[in-house]
Amino acid sequence: MTKVLKFGGTSVGSAANMKRVAEIIRREKARITVLSAMSGTTDALVRIVSAAAENDQNTIDERIGMLTEKYTTCIEGLLNRYKQEALNRMQATFELIRNETSNFREYTSERKIIAQGELLTSAIFTFYLNETGTKAVCLNSPDFMVTDQEEKVDTKRLSEALAPVAADPDTFYVAQGFICTNNKGEIDNLGRGGSDYSAALMGAAIGASEVQIWTDIDGMHNNDPRFVEHTYPIRNMSFDEAAELAYFGAKILHPATIQPCKDKCIPVMLKNTMDPDAPGTTISNCDDNSKSFHAVAAKDGITVIRIHSARMLMAYGFLRKVFEIFEQYRTPIDMITTSEVAVSLTVDSDKHLNGIVAELEKLGTIEIERNNSIVCVVGRMEHGDAGLAARVFESIRKIPIKMISYGASHRSLAILIATEQKKQTLQSLNDGLFQ
Ligand code: ASP
Ligand code: MG
C-alpha cells in the first residue's frame, strides 16, 4: 500500500495540528505527505505582493510581522532540538520576501513570494518528524512538478523523478503542494487551492494505492452544511459525481484533483484531520447505485448572458459563432440553454464580460443578469427514469427558476436561481430529496 496524503492549511495551521498530522501519517504509513502552507499564509503573501506592487511598505511590514509571529509560535510549540535551525530557516524566508518586495519584478517576484508559504511549512514539519524519530526527507516540489507551455504538469518527468521515492518504503517524504516550475524555469504555482492537484499528480506518478485529502471537514456532505440543516457525509461516490459536485461548489475539493487519480483508478479519500477515525468520503470508480439522489451543491457568482437573435431561426453555424467569442476571451461557459431564437449562457467570471458582450452584440440583442447561483443535484438519474426530475422540481416549487440543464449526463440536474434564493433552495432540496 503506497499512500499519498495531503493536508490543507488548517490541518497544518498550528503546532498542535502539525502534531496530529504527524500521528496520522505514521499511522497511515504515508509515502509522500503533501502540505499546503499554514492557514492564512498564502492570503497574506498575496497581500504582500499587491502591497509591493503599490509600494505600500506599511502593509508589507504588517503582514510579515503577522506571519513571523504565527510561524515563531508554531516553531516554539513544536520543536526543541531543531528549533534554532527552523527559526533561522524562517528568518531567511522572510528576508527573501523582503528582498523581493524591494526589488519587485512583476510576475517573477510575485510567484517567488507566494511559493514561500508551502516551502517554509514543509520544512518546519520535516524538522518535527526528524526530531521525533521519524526518518523524513523534505522534497523540493519545483524540482519535479514542471509545467509546459500549456501550463500542464509533465507527468512523465514527474514519474521518473519520483521513482526512487516510490521504491523507498523506509522514509517519510514531505513535499509542497501548489508550487511548481514553469516552462521558463521559474518558480510558479498551479493556482489557488492547487495542492490537491499536486497530491493527485504525485499519487498517480508513483502508482499510489490511495490518495488521501485531509481537511477540517468530514468528507463531502450531501448538501452545504454552512447553509443547510441536517446534512450528512457521503461515504462513497464516483469520480464523475465528485467532479460535478466539486465544480458546482462543494468547496472541499479542487475539481482537477479528480482526473489524474481517475485515469489511474486510484481511490481518493476525503478525511478529517480533527476527527481521523471518521470514515470520510471515498471517491472511486465504483458507483453507489442504491440511491437516486446523492448530493446537492451550489456555485455563486454566476452571470447569465442571454442572446436573442432572429438570425438563429432555422440557421446553422450560429452557436459556433457564439462559442468562438468565448474561446477568443478564454472564458468557459457553465450552463447553456437554447430555443429557436435565443441562447442563454452562464459564466462564472466577469473578467472579459465587456469584450464578450461587445462581440456578441454583432449577433443579436444581449441581456446580462448578475448575482445568480447554479444549484446542481447529483445522483443516478437514468434518462429513462420517470419522476426523478419531477421530485426535484416538486421540492422547489416556490423558487423562481431561471434556467434548467438536464440530460447532458445522467449524473446531474442543474438549475439557475437568484443567489438570494440559494439558502431556501438548498434547504428545500434537502427536505424534499434526502429526509
Ligand atoms: N496554499 C495555497 C492556497 O491557499 C494552495 C492550497 O492550499 O491548496 O491557495
Ligand atoms: Mg485547499
Side-chain angles (χ1 to χ4, degrees):
M1 291 282 269
T2 316
K3 298 180 188 174
V4 172
L5 273 65
K6 179 259 167 178
F7 293 86
T10 314
S11 297
V12 289
S14 64
N17 286 2
M18 282 199 193
K19 288 178 186 174
R20 286 171 186 273
V21 171
E23 243 171 76
I24 293 168
I25 67 158
R26 284 183 197 121
R27 191 179 81 176
E28 294 290 321
K29 301 197 171 46
R31 184 64 53 85
I32 306 180
T33 301
V34 181
L35 300 183
S36 290
M38 286 179 82
S39 48
T41 308
T42 310
D43 286 339
L45 295 174
V46 167
R47 189 71 195 87
I48 288 170
V49 165
S50 55
E54 291 158 9
N55 259 320
D56 172 0
Q57 194 59 41
N58 285 344
T59 302
I60 296 173
D61 293 341
E62 183 205 351
R63 296 294 154 133
I64 292 183
M66 271 170 47
L67 288 174
T68 306
E69 209 179 296
K70 185 177 176 84
Y71 280 85
T72 306
T73 309
C74 173
I75 291 169
E76 285 178 345
L78 199 63
L79 299 170
N80 293 309
R81 185 149 53 97
Y82 289 122
K83 182 160 100 185
Q84 198 48 50
E85 238 174 288
L87 288 170
N88 295 347
R89 175 76 170 71
M90 177 191 80
Q91 291 304 350
T93 297
F94 292 126
E95 209 126 294
L96 179 149
I97 293 173
R98 277 194 192 282
N99 280 339
E100 286 297 328
T101 59
S102 44
N103 306 301
F104 191 72
R105 290 153 301 153
E106 222 173 307
Y107 197 75
T108 38
S109 296
E110 174 185 339
R111 304 298 156 123
K112 211 167 178 177
I113 291 171
I114 288 172
Q116 299 310 313
E118 268 71 11
L119 287 165
L120 182 56
T121 302
S122 56
I124 294 170
F125 183 71
T126 311
F127 278 128
Y128 177 68
L129 289 180
N130 281 314
E131 183 170 302
T132 49
T134 301
K135 186 181 164 207
V137 167
C138 192
L139 299 168
N140 184 47
S141 298
D143 289 345
F144 48 83
M145 298 288 283
V146 181
T147 56
D148 59 19
Q149 255 129 328
E150 268 121 54
E151 296 177 14
K152 275 180 48 201
V153 172
D154 180 344
T155 50
K156 189 162 166 277
R157 180 170 172 166
L158 178 61
S159 310
E160 283 165 9
L162 291 181
V165 170
D168 174 11
D170 300 324
T171 309
F172 285 81
Y173 289 92
V174 179
Q176 305 81 36
F178 180 54
I179 61 175
C180 62
T181 301
N182 64 25
N183 69 320
K184 297 190 210 89
E186 303 157 337
I187 197 155
D188 208 325
N189 61 66
L190 302 170
R192 292 304 304 271
S195 303
D196 297 346
Y197 189 37
S198 308
L201 285 165
M202 290 182 213
I206 65 167
S209 51
E210 138 186 343
V211 170
Q212 302 180 359
I213 308 280
W214 290 77
T215 63
D216 53 356
I217 339 178
D218 268 347
M220 280 216 193
H221 279 236
N222 70 315
N223 205 324
D224 194 330
R226 291 171 303 175
F227 302 109
V228 174
E229 285 170 19
H230 310 302
T231 65
Y232 52 82
I234 304 172
R235 288 283 180 88
N236 294 295
M237 68 168 26
S238 68
F239 280 109
D240 292 341
E241 286 176 334
E244 306 235 15
L245 273 185
Y247 183 68
F248 289 115
K251 287 278 171 332
I252 176 164
L253 195 69
H254 191 284
T257 303
I258 310 290
Q259 208 54 43
C261 292
K262 184 184 172 191
D263 292 345
K264 294 258 168 108
C265 294
I266 301 170
V268 177
M269 299 174 65
L270 308 178
K271 299 276 289 173
N272 186 353
T273 307
M274 310 309 149
D275 186 6
D277 294 323
T281 302
T282 301
I283 304 168
S284 67
N285 282 322
C286 306
D287 258 326
D288 175 359
N289 281 328
S290 63
K291 288 187 232 95
S292 307
F293 300 110
H294 289 183
V296 173
K299 182 172 169 181
D300 297 338
I302 305 292
T303 299
V304 188
I305 304 168
R306 297 189 198 277
I307 308 153
H308 292 262
S309 174
R311 271 195 281 160
M312 245 185 107
L313 192 66
M314 310 290 282
Y316 48 81
F318 185 84
L319 285 177
R320 180 177 53 76
K321 289 186 196 129
V322 171
F323 290 152
E324 272 171 1
I325 293 168
F326 287 84
E327 192 182 346
Q328 185 191 329
Y329 286 95
R330 307 183 88 182
T331 300
I333 297 166
D334 286 339
M335 258 173 109
I336 172 161
T337 59
T338 66
S339 79
E340 206 39 78
V341 289
V343 189
S344 293
L345 307 155
T346 71
V347 294
D348 66 359
S349 157
D350 279 0
K351 199 165 161 204
H352 301 296
L353 200 59
N354 293 340
I356 290 171
V357 169
E359 292 289 324
L360 288 173
E361 274 170 342
K362 295 175 192 159
L363 301 176
T365 321
I366 311 302
E367 259 174 61
I368 302 291
E369 270 176 48
R370 289 190 165 79
N371 301 324
N372 295 295
S373 298
I374 293 177
V375 173
C376 180
V377 179
V378 170
R380 183 189 58 77
M381 285 173 258
E382 298 304 334
H383 297 154
D385 287 353
L388 290 181
R391 270 185 68 195
V392 172
F393 294 117
E394 187 57 39
S395 316
I396 49 170
R397 61 184 313 148
K398 297 208 182 79
I399 313 281
I401 297 171
K402 299 185 172 196
M403 271 170 80
I404 298 168
S405 167
Y406 179 61
S409 81
H410 53 254
R411 302 243 155 263
S412 73
L413 185 161
I415 56 167
L416 188 83
I417 51 153
T419 299
E420 56 186 38
Q421 312 270 2
K422 179 177 78 170
K423 192 169 186 288
Q424 202 197 332
T425 305
L426 292 176
Q427 187 68 59
S428 305
L429 286 169
N430 212 53
D431 299 344
L433 304 180
F434 299 105
Q435 298 306 313

